[in-house]
Amino acid sequence: MLATMGVAGAAVLAPVAAAAPAAATASLYSGCIDYVESHGYVVGPKVYAACSHKALRVVGWAPNPSCVTSLVAIRVRPEVATEACTRAHG
């Protein structure tokens, strides 16, 4: 009986544990994601993937070229992509 409860408990907790890292990553780069969305673009897996390329810390924040290239590849205007990727930091 306890073994059955343990399996059932693991089945309930596994999706929660798997979702936590994705949610944490999305919140780190939400400035990028929100900026893209605020300009009328649909946010999906490709935007999340692009925004996961963290902005570079120089004197201030600089957009990660991988982020900009990925967003432009899905037809986000270059000026929107550059600003969005500048905001991709936690």
Side-chain angles (χ1 to χ4, degrees):
M1 172 110 168
L2 290 176
T4 304
M5 289 175 60
V7 171
V12 170
L13 294 177
V16 174
T25 301
S27 68
L28 286 177
Y29 310 113
S30 63
C32 175
I33 295 162
D34 293 345
Y35 192 82
V36 171
E37 187 174 40
S38 75
H39 282 79
Y41 295 96
V42 175
V43 172
K46 292 180 181 179
V47 172
Y48 281 96
C51 288
S52 72
H53 296 284
K54 189 174 180 179
L56 308 172
R57 182 79 167 159
V58 190
V59 174
W61 290 102
N64 187 316
S66 296
C67 176
V68 176
T69 302
S70 296
L71 288 177
V72 170
I74 58 171
R75 300 195 175 166
V76 173
R77 289 190 334 262
E79 61 274 13
V80 172
T82 300
E83 181 58 32
C85 293
T86 301
R87 297 171 183 226
H89 57 83

